[in-house]
Amino acid sequence: VQLQASGGGLVQAGGSLRLSCAHSGRTVASYWTGWFRQAPGKEREFVAAVKWGGTRTYYAPSVKGRFTISRDNAKNTVYLQMNSLTPEDTAVYYCAATWRTSVTDYSSQSVYDYWGQGTQVTVSS
């Protein structure tokens, strides 16, 4: 399985970006897909996660109300729409996926079996 994250870039504060995470190697869409980010000098942290059906979504408090995670299972792709970006959102964003159905903590990096390569998001002030 391979995950391909894309959509990062440079944007001014208050702007928007949409990240995409496409997986290949499995015909069935992932059960859980999450987005994580790592800022310079900081640990990687949870951003958002979505379950297979797309109706169960979860967000870190720092992005709730500004970011929206969604998925298109027909395209095996998960999106992260990021609005009202601030310089504090600057980080490398990673998508991760698992096909395990017994996940109890979607915010934990350890439950995800596959990771994308990361895409840089830079927000200028």
Side-chain angles (χ1 to χ4, degrees):
V1 175
Q2 289 189 327
L3 300 183
Q4 181 70 40
S6 61
L10 174 63
V11 64
Q12 289 187 333
S16 300
L17 283 174
R18 189 176 81 156
L19 306 183
S20 299
C21 175
H23 80 73
S24 60
R26 285 215 184 187
T27 57
V28 179
S30 61
Y31 201 68
W32 282 97
T33 298
W35 284 97
F36 293 79
R37 66 185 182 186
Q38 187 167 21
K42 295 186 177 181
E43 294 187 352
R44 191 158 56 183
E45 63 177 4
F46 169 75
V47 175
V50 61
K51 200 173 178 182
W52 187 89
T55 57
R56 290 182 62 180
T57 58
Y58 303 92
Y59 300 92
S62 60
V63 307
K64 195 170 186 178
R66 300 187 298 123
F67 291 11
T68 302
I69 190 170
S70 62
R71 65 190 303 158
D72 183 340
N73 287 345
K75 297 181 179 179
N76 289 335
T77 301
V78 171
Y79 305 98
L80 184 68
Q81 177 66 44
M82 306 186 295
N83 299 328
S84 302
L85 287 162
T86 74
E88 290 67 39
D89 295 314
T90 295
V92 177
Y93 283 69
Y94 299 89
C95 62
T98 181
W99 276 257
R100 288 186 275 175
T101 60
S102 60
V103 170
T104 56
D105 184 1
Y106 49 82
S107 67
S108 171
Q109 297 179 50
S110 63
V111 307
Y112 295 93
D113 301 307
Y114 302 96
W115 290 79
Q117 83 288 1
T119 184
Q120 176 71 47
V121 171
T122 303
V123 185
S124 63
S125 57

